Amino acid sequence: MKKILVTGGLGFIGSHTVVELQNEGFDVVIVDNLSNSSENVMDGIVAITGKKPIFEKFDLRDKLKVEDFFTRNTDVEGVIHFAASKAVGESVENPLLYYENNIGVLVYMLQALSKKGSANFIFSSSCTVYGQADEMPITENAPVKPAESPYGNTKQVGEEIIKDTCRVNPQLSAIALRYFNPIGAHPTVEIGELPIGVPQNLLPYITQTGIGLREQLSVFGDDYPTTDGTCIRDYIHVVDVAKAHVAALKRLVEDNNEQNFEVFNLGTGTGSSVLEVIQSFERVTGEKLKYRIAPRREGDVIQAYADTQKANKILGWKAESTLDDAMKSAWDWEKKMRKSEEKVSV
Ligand code: NAD
Ligand code: WQD
């Protein structure tokens, strides 16, 4: 069985990917420092798959520990690198934290992999690299625009670092996956998103408002040049995102790729406005959502949705879930989390 290292494997997208990898027969080792996750996520993974992945808790910013890991695990055939810090606002306040965690750690991983006879690497990139693209849907050939934040910069520079490394290391094969807006939870409701503090992203803010944890949602701007004036994004079910990682990994492991560095968009191909997402919540839950129109949020692009043809054709992967499917799973997960909190406080 092929052994795969998943860094950040107890996080939101990582945990869903670990489930899909185990379902496909891969052996998984997770490295996570629990800086934005919890060991309880492991229980959810075991409940879904019946299998417990190996878990090593350490901070990947410790270069010696990264080297030691690869010395002890020479049989690792692929690495999926999710571990990073991801709060855009925090990256503006504390850029060096982001450069250390998102760039420093990436360099350590690539240094370790460059020493191996052959290595496969998948990187979590983001549609943020496109900024406000000139044409919709966005293809992988659209130009990368100057980053709006240190976080966005780490994804652009991260891709460049991987590309440069692959050029001089033909034994290294890498894929960067540019996620659009991953949302939702596993349909079993055993794992999902665990936002810490006040959510910055739309979906957790909506479900927390729906459950009564937040008073109302602020819709950031309704005067954009879109059909209803609110911003448009490509919301994709996290399970679809997870499955794309398995498809990308298979491509790398089976050595089907001609170039040793490739980039793919992961989206549904459909754009939804903020008001359409609210309507989805109301349709799925049968409840009204309290919201108000607020000023625009600085740095927001007007619209971003993916052209998914490259991933469809080359990876043989396509997003299967609808916005309503993803919304339902996010809502079920929110209800379950609040119930377990009530139990704890009784
Ligand atoms: P997450 O915060 O839920 O998961 C990241 C995991 O990495 C966490 O479990 C955290 O504890 C761990 N981690 C962070 N730094 C670490 C370190 N130094 N050592 C060990 N473990 C560490 O985030 P996510 O939403 O699952 O995102 C995963 C990846 O996808 C990130 O690279 C993120 O930038 C990227 N991404 C996310 C989105 C999104 O909307 N969620 C969109 C585009 C790209
Ligand atoms: C979606 C839409 C908001 C909250 C961010 C990162 C990006 C990527 C994905 C990692 C926008 C609106 C939101 C709220 C609102 N992450 N909104 N009220 O901005 O597309 O991207 O996450 O790589 O880098 O910047 O996602 O969920 O924050 O916002 O009206 O309370 O919802 O204005 O139009 P975004 P989001």
Side-chain angles (χ1 to χ4, degrees):
M1 243 187 299
K2 299 203 183 299
K3 187 163 157 184
I4 308 300
L5 165 63
V6 182
T7 74
L10 293 180
F12 174 43
I13 306 171
S15 57
H16 289 82
T17 303
V18 168
V19 164
E20 297 306 322
L21 287 169
Q22 296 204 140
N23 284 345
E24 291 279 326
F26 289 96
D27 253 349
V28 176
V29 184
I30 293 174
V31 172
D32 201 303
N33 66 354
L34 305 181
S35 57
N36 199 32
S37 52
S38 144
E39 214 163 341
N40 298 337
V41 175
M42 188 62 90
D43 300 337
I45 292 172
V46 174
I48 300 168
T49 63
K51 236 182 349 190
K52 190 170 183 173
I54 296 170
F55 171 46
E56 292 197 24
K57 183 185 165 194
F58 69 85
D59 193 323
L60 293 155
R61 286 174 295 186
D62 188 333
K63 186 178 178 180
L64 293 177
K65 287 199 175 142
V66 173
E67 283 174 358
D68 173 63
F69 176 88
F70 284 102
T71 309
R72 286 184 287 110
N73 293 275
T74 49
D75 54 344
V76 164
E77 293 197 27
V79 176
I80 308 185
H81 182 47
F82 291 106
S85 304
K86 65 165 180 177
V88 177
E90 186 189 42
S91 80
V92 176
E93 299 306 316
N94 195 350
L96 291 180
L97 173 76
Y98 277 67
Y99 290 122
E100 182 185 31
N101 208 29
N102 296 10
I103 299 290
V105 169
L106 173 65
V107 171
Y108 301 157
M109 302 294 297
L110 293 173
Q111 282 173 330
L113 293 180
S114 298
K115 290 181 194 151
K116 281 170 68 76
S118 88
N120 299 307
F121 187 73
I122 296 178
F123 177 63
S124 298
S125 190
S126 167
C127 67
T128 188
V129 302
Y130 298 118
Q132 181 55 72
D134 302 324
E135 282 172 38
M136 294 295 135
I138 305 173
T139 70
E140 288 81 354
N141 294 327
V144 167
K145 296 264 175 87
E148 286 277 345
S149 68
Y151 169 77
N153 208 20
T154 66
K155 294 301 174 189
Q156 297 190 0
V157 175
E159 286 192 12
E160 293 290 328
I161 290 171
I162 299 165
K163 197 162 110 191
D164 292 343
T165 309
C166 283
R167 199 167 44 227
V168 293
N169 286 286
Q171 96 290 355
L172 176 66
S173 291
I175 287 179
L177 298 174
R178 294 176 174 165
Y179 316 152
F180 279 65
N181 291 59
I183 59 164
H186 198 269
T188 58
V189 208
E190 294 289 350
I191 52 174
E193 195 170 1
L194 293 167
I196 293 173
V198 181
Q200 305 302 307
N201 295 116
L202 181 62
L203 245 289
Y205 209 104
I206 286 181
T207 55
Q208 288 194 7
T209 305
I211 209 99
L213 214 60
R214 314 268 157 222
E215 205 191 321
Q216 62 178 348
L217 170 76
S218 296
V219 174
F220 297 141
D222 71 345
D223 56 353
Y224 284 100
T226 59
T227 38
D228 63 21
T230 64
C231 292
I232 291 175
R233 297 287 183 274
D234 188 339
Y235 299 93
I236 174 168
H237 199 305
V238 64
V239 172
D240 280 325
V241 173
K243 287 181 175 165
H245 287 75
V246 179
L249 184 69
K250 285 185 176 165
R251 178 169 174 79
L252 290 174
V253 169
E254 288 160 14
D255 214 7
N256 283 336
N257 42 332
E258 280 161 26
Q259 301 145 349
N260 66 338
F261 176 65
E262 294 177 308
V263 171
F264 295 95
N265 284 341
L266 294 189
T268 64
T270 303
S272 305
S273 72
V274 177
L275 293 182
E276 283 170 344
V277 178
I278 294 172
Q279 283 156 16
S280 167
F281 173 85
E282 295 185 338
R283 215 167 27 241
V284 163
T285 63
E287 291 177 30
K288 284 269 162 226
L289 187 81
K290 278 183 78 178
Y291 70 89
R292 68 177 185 111
I293 304 300
R296 291 179 176 196
R297 181 172 71 176
E298 210 189 319
D300 267 340
V301 297
I302 304 165
Q303 55 176 348
Y305 54 96
D307 184 317
T308 63
Q309 286 184 59
K310 188 175 175 194
N312 297 163
K313 274 192 206 130
I314 297 180
L315 297 180
W317 164 91
K318 201 175 186 339
E320 283 163 6
S321 296
T322 63
L323 175 60
D324 282 6
D325 296 333
M327 181 65 76
K328 182 178 183 311
S329 68
W331 180 237
D332 289 345
W333 173 247
E334 186 70 61
K335 284 188 291 187
K336 180 176 170 178
M337 276 194 299
R338 298 312 146 207
K339 251 194 205 138
S340 58
E341 270 176 12
E342 277 162 29
K343 269 192 214 145
V344 172
S345 60
V346 166

